[in-house]
Amino acid sequence: MSANPAAPARRPVVVKIGGAAGVDLENVCADVVELVHQGERVVVVNGGSEAGERLLGSLGMARPEATTANGNVVRLTYAPTLRALTMAWVGEVNKAVVLALLAKGVTALGLCGADGRVLTARRRPPLKLQGSDGRMRIDREHLAGEVSVVNAALLGTLLDGGYVPVVCPPAVTEDGVLVNVDADHVASSIAAALGARALVILSNVPGLLADPKDPATLVRASDDVEGCMPLAGGRMRYKLEAVRRALEGGVPTAYVSASRVARPVFSALEEAGGTKFTLRDKGGADAGA
């Protein structure tokens, strides 16, 4: 009698832990552990903005700002800055997440984008910047990129082996150069590449607010991420862009929610808090037209 074929692996949950000050790491990791004990496959992505800025300050360094030719203000990342940021993202925050999960009995494995080429990126082209004298200059030294390939096979192998991968920037280019990539973009890219059932982006805000100063204006759900963009300011725009990429990449549901609440991951997944995003059913809309 032939053996029954193995059951298909469950679609994973990708949890992105924000890097801003005030994120409750222990709370988030407790939820990750509970998900694992329930049989879920979980990938964690960590940011590290607060730790990075703190380390840069202690080293007397800063990330300079510049104005592009079209008037946008950007923060530049050069090789010395990226070395320090990598120390914070990988050496401090990523290992803090790994240790928190290990302490709770889950076997976690920390990776930055270069490890096993888990994140390959396209380096952004040279920037045309406006100098203080009003003259334009070309900056070819800044190290920023966009995730182009996720090593889904490696992450799948780790998940199959019972590990919780904990992934963070930087990523690596095809020619072996480390580049700064946005952690929200990392999370959405991984979620799409793995066919995740949900992406949960946690931060120090309750979710998308119609009025950023009033938590009572929380948008509970939307199937129109693009239409929500005018409500988003600052880092929230990056989160909504990450949500859009994930949904368009086949992830059915994405959440933007707070980490500083009881059971933050479950609060999002159970729709008790935060903002739930889905894609509008275009087929249904066309059929009803």
Side-chain angles (χ1 to χ4, degrees), residues 51-272:
E53 294 302 320
R54 180 168 20 89
L55 180 57
L56 287 175
S58 71
L59 295 173
M61 302 171 68
R63 293 177 65 190
E65 291 187 346
T67 303
T68 64
N70 58 10
N72 292 331
V73 177
V74 295
R75 299 187 75 188
L76 302 174
T77 304
Y78 298 114
T81 316
L82 187 57
R83 283 195 292 271
L85 292 173
T86 300
M87 291 167 61
W89 298 335
V90 184
E92 180 180 345
V93 183
N94 184 269
K95 298 317 163 198
V97 177
V98 169
L99 289 173
L101 292 172
L102 290 176
K104 299 178 190 305
V106 166
T107 307
L109 181 69
L111 302 162
C112 81
D115 297 317
R117 281 194 176 273
V118 71
L119 301 172
T120 302
R122 288 186 297 269
R123 186 171 174 178
R124 287 182 183 161
L127 282 172
K128 192 173 183 181
L129 302 176
Q130 183 176 321
S132 56
D133 58 0
R135 294 184 178 181
M136 303 307 297
R137 64 182 178 88
I138 303 299
D139 186 331
R140 294 183 172 83
E141 302 301 317
H142 75 112
L143 296 170
E146 296 276 341
V147 176
S148 55
V149 180
V150 172
N151 191 339
L154 173 59
L155 292 176
T157 298
L158 293 173
L159 290 168
D160 290 343
Y163 292 92
V164 172
V166 182
V167 185
C168 69
V172 66
T173 64
E174 288 285 357
D175 54 349
V177 177
L178 288 179
V179 290
N180 181 13
V181 290
D182 179 68
D184 292 319
H185 180 199
V186 168
S188 66
S189 297
I190 290 174
L194 293 180
R197 74 172 182 88
L199 167 65
V200 180
I201 297 178
L202 299 174
S203 70
N204 58 353
V205 295
L208 177 65
L209 303 176
D211 178 354
K213 298 179 181 178
D214 185 1
T217 65
L218 176 68
V219 177
R220 298 305 303 270
S222 175
D223 62 0
D224 182 12
V225 181
E226 201 63 41
C228 288
M229 282 294 184
L231 301 178
R235 288 293 313 171
M236 184 56 69
R237 293 192 65 84
Y238 288 88
K239 298 184 189 308
L240 292 196
E241 179 61 25
V243 163
R244 183 188 64 78
R245 290 175 189 243
L247 295 176
E248 292 180 352
V251 180
T253 314
Y255 304 87
V256 177
S257 194
S259 74
R260 291 181 291 183
V261 296
R263 304 181 79 234
V265 180
F266 285 99
S267 175
L269 291 173
E270 296 169 0
E271 301 174 27

